[in-house]
Amino acid sequence: MREWKDYSVPGACSLEEFTRFVRFNKVRLRRLEEELSEVRRLMIAIPGPVYGGIPGSHEWHDKMPGLMDREMKIQNMIKAVEESEKVLAAFKDSLTERESSVFVLYYFRDKTQDDISFELCTSQQYISQVINKINKKWEDRT
């Protein structure tokens, strides 16, 4: 499994990287929860120990540590997804109403600056300035 960035640490990534990650959190969280339930099902399916020297009676128990490691990694990934949602909510709360609407349109709905300026009845230059302010706030967050 790939290593995940800690998006809660200021300066760990750009705002564009962060929004690309957060955009698919619901899908990512559902897949992780499905994978976690599968791991737990496999853990429960492991039979109890069989004594008496029967060959192969302990091979399932050799899989338990691997399943436990996998479960822990998935739980850590779920925590990272949940933490990124908290970071997003806190960041959106720090934005003004205008900045928040531009943030959603630009980073989550993939609208161009021209489209946003038309929708909000402002100039493209103003939208560019607002996006720069948003990026500055992202870089300055503590």
Side-chain angles (χ1 to χ4, degrees), residues 62-81:
D62 294 341
K63 294 182 181 187
M64 184 61 94
L67 290 172
M68 290 173 70
D69 287 344
R70 191 167 154 204
E71 178 188 33
M72 188 176 68
K73 285 179 184 177
I74 294 169
Q75 287 175 340
N76 288 338
M77 285 189 245
I78 289 172
K79 285 179 188 173
V81 169

Side-chain angles (χ1 to χ4, degrees), residues 7 12 22 24 30 52 62 71 81 84 89 106 109 121 126 142:
Y7 291 101
V22 171
F24 300 104
R30 185 174 13 119
D62 294 341
E71 178 188 33
V81 169
S84 69
Y106 187 73
R109 297 203 181 136
C121 300
Y126 175 72
T142 55

Side-chain angles (χ1 to χ4, degrees), residues 4-5 15 31 34 37 45-46 86-87 109 117 127-128:
W4 290 33
K5 284 187 179 180
L15 183 58
R31 286 182 184 160
E34 288 171 0
S37 66
I46 293 177
K86 290 177 188 174
V87 170
R109 297 203 181 136
S117 65
I127 298 301
S128 177

Side-chain angles (χ1 to χ4, degrees), residues 50-116:
V50 177
Y51 300 103
I54 300 172
S57 64
H58 64 283
E59 71 184 41
W60 273 98
H61 293 286
D62 294 341
K63 294 182 181 187
M64 184 61 94
L67 290 172
M68 290 173 70
D69 287 344
R70 191 167 154 204
E71 178 188 33
M72 188 176 68
K73 285 179 184 177
I74 294 169
Q75 287 175 340
N76 288 338
M77 285 189 245
I78 289 172
K79 285 179 188 173
V81 169
E82 291 170 347
E83 183 65 29
S84 69
E85 287 292 328
K86 290 177 188 174
V87 170
L88 176 64
F91 181 69
K92 282 178 75 174
D93 288 344
S94 73
L95 301 175
T96 64
E97 187 177 331
R98 179 59 60 114
E99 289 171 341
S100 183
S101 60
V102 170
F103 175 71
V104 169
L105 291 171
Y106 187 73
Y107 286 106
F108 288 96
R109 297 203 181 136
D110 289 330
K111 299 241 180 183
T112 65
Q113 291 181 12
D114 286 332
D115 293 340
I116 297 169

